[in-house]
Amino acid sequence: MREILNQSSNPEIIKPMLELVMEKAEMFKQRFHRKPVFMEVCGSHTHALAKSGIKQALKEYVRLISGPGCPVCVTDQRSIDSMIELSQGENRIICTFGDMMRVPGSKYSLMEERTKGKDVRVLYAPTDAIKIAEDNPEQEIIFLGIGFETTIPILALLMQEAEKKQLTNFSIWMTTKLVRPVLEYLLQSGEVALDGFLLPGHVSIVLGEENYSFLVDDYHISGVIAGFEPAELLSSVQKLVQLAYDGEAKIINDYPSVVTKKGNSAARNLMARYFEECDEAWRGIGTIAKSGLDIKPAYRQFNAKLKFNIKQQEPRKTKCRCGEIIVGKIDPEECPLFGKACTPRKPIGPCMVSDEGSCSAAYLFMRGLG
Amino acid sequence: MSQTINLAHGDGGELTHQLIQDVFVKAFGNNEESKFDAAIIPVQQGKIAVTTDSFVVKPLFFPGGSIGKLAISGTVNDLAVSGAKPLYLTCGFVIEEGFALKDLKTIVQDMADEAKKAGVLLVAGDTKVVERGGCDGLFINTTGIGVLTKETETVPSFEVGDDVIISGTLGDHGIAILTSRGDLGIKSAVESDCAALNTMLEKATAVSKQVRIMRDPTRGGLTTTLVEIAEDFGVTITLEENAIPIKDGVRGACDLLGYDPLYLANEGKAIIVVAHDDGDKVLEAIRQLPEGQDAECIGKVTDTSKGQLLIETPLGVKRALHRLSGVMLPRIC
Ligand code: SF4
Ligand code: SF4
């Protein structure tokens, strides 16, 4: 027996939705003589838009730019190199999310370090790191803490556990990123002209709808918080087109089943307890003031950056253009290495590494038709 | 007899003999064929098919099966999808010193049960014990011998319109293994599909003379196997995303982990490409067996001049599917 069709991917429901978006976009085009331009700020949206075929179906109607939504892709090469360098010391266990494994460093990736015998572990459940620390008192456990507001509460949870258990062999290498500062950077820099943002569903669970009011108040630009199923994405894109057509700026919560007005304040409080704002370097952008979180001085014993002396070196230069891709200046296909020297099997830049990276999504889902 | 395997169990002496008698002969039966250094088996008319595979799965026991069951069904299936009737198997064990005898007995019994179900005889075996750390618990190699009863074409002749059938839900084995390792932080009720498919495939070929090709989508999953077929024979296969059967539990686990069920391993599924006229007949035949009850037609051969695999999403957009690049890794967000 075939499983019951998920309504959200039922063609009878989503095909008319797609047509509606096209119709609205056509109206926009007639009025403004160009395609509307939106940016999705979430790697999972990039992936879902490509996989469902929405991006491709709308190619002639709407320009969808993949923004700086993937924490791996936006991490500065120096930080990546430092994290890989960390694995070089003796008696260390490096714990990481899977995405980090294949990100190319200037010399090696963590995956290659692991083949050479370094203890690098991919954790499915981050809290396992605490257990590993307890089980291996002779070893230093270092968690590579990258991520946006979706992941940072998990890192705060790790801090809480480590504090409770008074672990002395556990630390986090923080290189986290915040959504708002980078959106403001993009809007202020004026490098790309946008008609609106497709806002990240998961991040918004933590941040809440209200957190985006600055888009409207300060920049007069719309944002629609979107889910991840084809029907949800189409609904949100349609709302964006409508707002752009009407010349209206508004925040719409189009994922109300999980995103609330105020977000998850318990998660935010936990973050605020252990972390404070810091300047962060973004790939291809440079340092943005107060765009990340670092461990507060009171908890310095868990700060891997203070615990281990890693010399930061100038990264090796490559022709990778991820930096321009994540701010929407160019599309992946415009990178001369795309699909040639750089493929998911042998990625040159981080955008090609994991399914959500813009280059990888473009390579996996849009290449080779016809 | 001691409760764990030690090095003396592998040195060919008294303990080896005891192990063989107590564990292997008991389970597999003492076939006339296996009394000599080499098994002596009668030769049949026609061609024989031979295949070999090593099994190193972790954990050794998982929901829906064990390394023992897998070692039989995996090799039987390799023979069966080649159109051969599996008859005999040999097995080689590499056991780590300290391995629990009780577990070995269970594994060997699983092998015997599955072999019986598949109608194959275990005719020769070998056991080696290695020092602690020399292997991870237990490895098994099986070699299978089968006969080709009908003359099968070496190069199948695909035609536009051919049906692509999958014998059941995808990704069950992959998720069962991943979640039973216990390091995912998620539990699932998904059981491995591991099963011998020779009976089912015999049914399929009995009702249709126009089966183009059969394959079992193990490592690399449905996508990898179909990409291989498409490229090897220069045909375009177009799948319909909504038609592909996937259990909710598998879909849920994949969503959480960032895996794609179309790339997950299966151990009890077959892809059957068959002329469109016979598609329904084959579906009906295999759905009568438990291992084929969820079978579906999931796509078609749409071109015979270009080797590629396409999938049509529910939106009606086609995109190309490719081999898995590298390993699947869990994602961050
Ligand atoms: S690639 Fe990984 S880090 Fe980047 S958006 Fe996807 S899940 Fe998140
Ligand atoms: S295609 Fe590769 S090299 Fe080019 S921008 Fe993308 S990741 Fe970088």
Side-chain angles (χ1 to χ4, degrees), chain A residues 1-3 5 9-11 14-15 18 44 47 50-54 56-57 69 71-72 97-102 111 122-125 128 146-147 150-151 202 229-230 234 344-345 354-356 363-365 367-370, chain B residues 169 178 181-185 240-248 251 255 257-261 263 293-297 306 308 310 312-333:
Chain A
M1 253 284 301
R2 185 181 297 185
E3 316 259 320
L5 271 188
S9 58
N10 182 342
I14 56 179
K15 277 195 181 157
L18 180 72
S44 301
H47 181 78
K51 189 170 180 194
S52 60
I54 293 177
Q56 204 183 319
V72 175
F97 295 108
D99 302 300
M100 276 301 294
M101 288 300 281
R102 287 167 54 226
M111 189 76 104
V122 174
L123 301 192
Y124 295 83
D128 285 351
I146 71 167
T150 19
T151 324
H202 295 147
E229 295 296 330
L234 284 169
R345 192 178 288 274
S354 140
D355 284 0
E356 277 84 356
Y363 183 86
L364 289 175
F365 298 130
R367 168 185 65 119
L369 264 189
Chain B
T169 54
L178 279 167
R181 278 184 196 153
D183 52 5
L184 287 185
E240 192 194 326
E241 190 171 312
N242 265 348
I244 301 174
I246 297 165
K247 289 202 170 89
D248 283 344
R251 209 184 285 280
D255 281 350
L257 300 167
Y259 287 165
D260 186 336
Y263 287 96
Q293 61 180 5
D294 296 326
E296 291 288 345
C297 176
K306 187 166 188 239
Q308 62 174 352
L310 305 177
E312 185 170 337
T313 74
L315 272 179
V317 176
K318 286 198 191 79
R319 57 185 172 83
L321 289 177
H322 310 277
R323 285 192 175 77
L324 185 63
S325 23
V327 281
M328 269 199 277
L329 291 165
R331 62 171 186 218
I332 297 180
C333 39

